């Protein structure tokens, strides 16, 4: 997909695109950053741009034959190398790419060799690659995609220009989950709040459980917001998951506590008059806004500390019921 369809990385994308169009892109690049944030997609967008028949606004069109072939993974000049069943990128795979890069591109203007999960290049294969990076063939760009750039040989790293991809905002992650993975708005925001800025991580987690955990956390905050009498607080704690003693109960409560942390952070953002787009739980803005009036910064900080202590207690095998009851009096 072209750069414009990739979420986030708003400074990096135009930088890469402009350098590619001007022909000033270094022949060897490392796309480094957390997994699941779109590094490989950016490498493919770059391959599309340098081979696109009719670029639009400093980006690939996404529709010409070349763009479509690259998107389908069948373009003769765009090679994607990734770990095989053994988990390693073997020397044969690197040799094949190196041999091909000695020839001019077959159908496109520029050959792009994308090595995904490059930290898995076997040591001998790294040596083979290094020789090519030292004298890069004129028609080929190498892009090493990795979340662990420091595990590459220092000699390889020094031959490549490194571009750092950061984490995505919760809003960007939610947007991708809705647009590309069919998530409902509530599911997308709930999963995004726990994703640590990675679409990949959000997809790994079960979002149903998150939605429930977050709902329970929100209900507790709402129930205690106006500082009700003790009996009501105890009653409210019963709404948290994990009343039993099993490991599953403990995990469910821990998830709710993590959700509460993201809700408290959002209340802090709203209370400080911050940008609502920065909210981890943007879909709950309508419920959080009135709640923010009951939670000043001091209360948010002490609640945060209480959530932290509750998580620690759970980690030390405290009873979920006792932890939930205690927490309901601290917030
Ligand atoms: Zn195109």
């Amino acid at each position: 997909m072209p750069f414009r369809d990739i979420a986030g990385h708003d400074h990096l994308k135009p930088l890469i695109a402009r350098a590619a169009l001007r022909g000033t892109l270094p022949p060897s690049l490392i796309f480094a950053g957390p997994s699941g944030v779109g590094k490989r997609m950016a490498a493919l967008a770059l391959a599309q741009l340098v081979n696109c028949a009719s670029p639009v606004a400093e980006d690939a069109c996404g529709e010409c034959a070349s763009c479509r072939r690259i998107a389908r993974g069948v373009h003769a000049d765009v090679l994607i190398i990734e770990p095989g069943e053994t988990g390693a990128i073997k020397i044969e795979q690197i040799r094949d790419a190196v041999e091909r890069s000695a020839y001019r591109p077959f159908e496109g203007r520029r050959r792009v060799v994308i090595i995904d999960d490059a930290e898995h290049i076997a040591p001998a294969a790294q040596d083979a690659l290094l020789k090519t990076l030292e004298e890069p063939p004129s028609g080929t760009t190498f892009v090493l995609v990795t979340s662990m750039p420091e595990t590459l040989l220092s000699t390889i790293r020094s031959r490549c220009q490194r571009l750092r991809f950061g984490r995505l905002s919760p809003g960007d992650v939610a947007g991708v989950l809705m647009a590309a993975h069919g998530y409902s708005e509530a599911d997308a925001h709930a999963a995004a709040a726990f994703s640590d800025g990675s679409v990949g991580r959000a997809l790994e987690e079960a979002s149903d459980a998150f939605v429930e955990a977050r709902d329970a956390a929100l209900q507790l905050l709402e129930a205690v917001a106006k500082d009700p009498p003790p009996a009501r607080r105890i009653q409210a704690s019963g709404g948290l998951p994990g009343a039993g003693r099993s490991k599953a109960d403990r995990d469910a409560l821990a998830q709710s506590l993590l959700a509460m942390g993201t809700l408290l952070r959002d209340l802090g953002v709203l209370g400080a008059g911050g940008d609502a787009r920065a909210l981890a739980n943007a879909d709950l803005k309508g419920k959080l806004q009135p709640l923010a009036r009951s939670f000043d910064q001091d209360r948010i900080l002490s609640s945060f500390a209480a959530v932290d202590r509750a998580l620690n207690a759970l980690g030390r095998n405290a009873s979920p019921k006792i932890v939930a009851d205690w927490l309901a009096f601290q917030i």
Side-chain angles (χ1 to χ4, degrees):
M1 64 174 62
F3 283 114
R4 77 183 84 86
D5 295 334
I6 297 175
H9 315 300
D10 291 335
H11 298 295
L12 214 45
K13 290 184 296 189
L15 200 79
I16 300 169
R18 230 165 279 149
L21 287 171
R22 287 185 191 148
T24 57
L25 206 62
S28 311
L29 301 161
I30 293 177
F31 284 8
S35 58
V37 299
K39 300 187 300 296
R40 175 175 169 146
M41 281 193 289
L44 284 165
L46 167 63
Q48 285 183 317
L49 178 57
V50 294
N51 287 298
C52 181
S54 49
V56 185
E58 298 198 331
D59 200 355
C61 73
E63 287 162 11
C64 69
S66 171
C67 282
R68 287 207 307 268
R69 289 169 67 72
I70 291 169
R72 291 208 309 274
V74 294
H75 193 289
D77 298 314
V78 177
L79 276 62
I80 300 173
I81 300 174
E82 54 198 336
E85 280 172 11
T86 59
I89 295 173
K90 294 182 183 163
I91 191 161
E92 294 80 12
Q93 292 171 276
I94 296 294
R95 273 203 196 118
D96 176 53
V98 165
E99 276 168 23
R100 289 212 236 171
S101 64
Y103 300 96
R104 287 216 315 269
F106 294 110
E107 56 174 308
R109 286 195 300 274
R110 192 159 187 86
R111 179 177 291 104
V112 180
V113 178
I114 299 168
I115 307 180
D116 198 5
D117 290 331
E119 67 272 15
H120 295 297
I121 307 176
Q126 290 203 31
D127 284 334
L129 179 63
L130 179 60
K131 292 200 183 70
T132 303
L133 298 184
E134 280 169 347
E135 289 176 41
S138 62
T140 301
T141 299
F142 284 86
V143 184
L144 279 62
V145 176
T146 178
S147 55
M148 291 185 271
E150 62 286 350
T151 60
L152 295 167
L153 288 177
S154 63
T155 41
I156 286 190
R157 274 182 278 146
S158 68
R159 297 280 163 195
C160 300
Q161 171 86 46
R162 192 192 303 197
L163 297 172
R164 289 183 176 80
F165 285 70
R167 296 178 196 287
L168 299 173
S169 72
D172 281 336
V173 173
V176 173
L177 294 176
M178 284 187 278
H181 300 281
Y183 277 53
S184 72
E185 192 177 2
D187 286 355
H189 283 286
F194 292 90
S195 67
D196 202 18
S198 158
V199 173
R201 182 143 173 213
L203 289 171
E204 283 168 15
E205 307 284 358
S207 68
D208 281 359
F210 280 142
V211 172
E212 281 171 32
R214 193 179 63 150
D215 280 350
L218 178 65
Q219 276 164 24
L220 179 73
L221 291 177
E222 286 174 335
V224 302
K226 297 267 162 29
D227 198 14
R232 291 275 301 281
R233 286 184 178 263
I234 287 285
Q235 196 184 3
S237 78
L240 286 175
R245 306 192 62 92
S246 69
K247 181 176 182 307
D249 285 319
R250 200 175 307 260
D251 289 349
L253 181 59
Q255 203 159 63
S256 232
L257 294 180
L258 290 171
M260 198 173 291
T262 71
L263 294 169
L264 287 167
R265 198 178 312 132
D266 283 354
L267 291 176
V269 170
L270 289 171
D275 190 340
R277 281 175 302 181
L279 297 180
N281 304 282
D283 58 317
L284 296 181
K285 192 178 140 208
K287 290 183 172 174
L288 291 172
Q289 219 131 30
L291 205 50
R293 286 193 280 277
S294 301
F295 282 82
D296 60 17
Q297 299 295 326
D298 283 347
R299 188 175 184 187
I300 289 171
L301 283 179
S302 64
S303 300
F304 248 128
V307 168
D308 194 36
R309 283 185 66 187
L311 279 166
N312 276 333
L314 278 181
R316 290 193 310 269
N317 281 345
S319 142
K321 172 88 178 85
I322 290 172
V323 170
D325 287 350
W326 175 82
L327 186 70
F329 281 90
Q330 307 299 318
I331 287 179

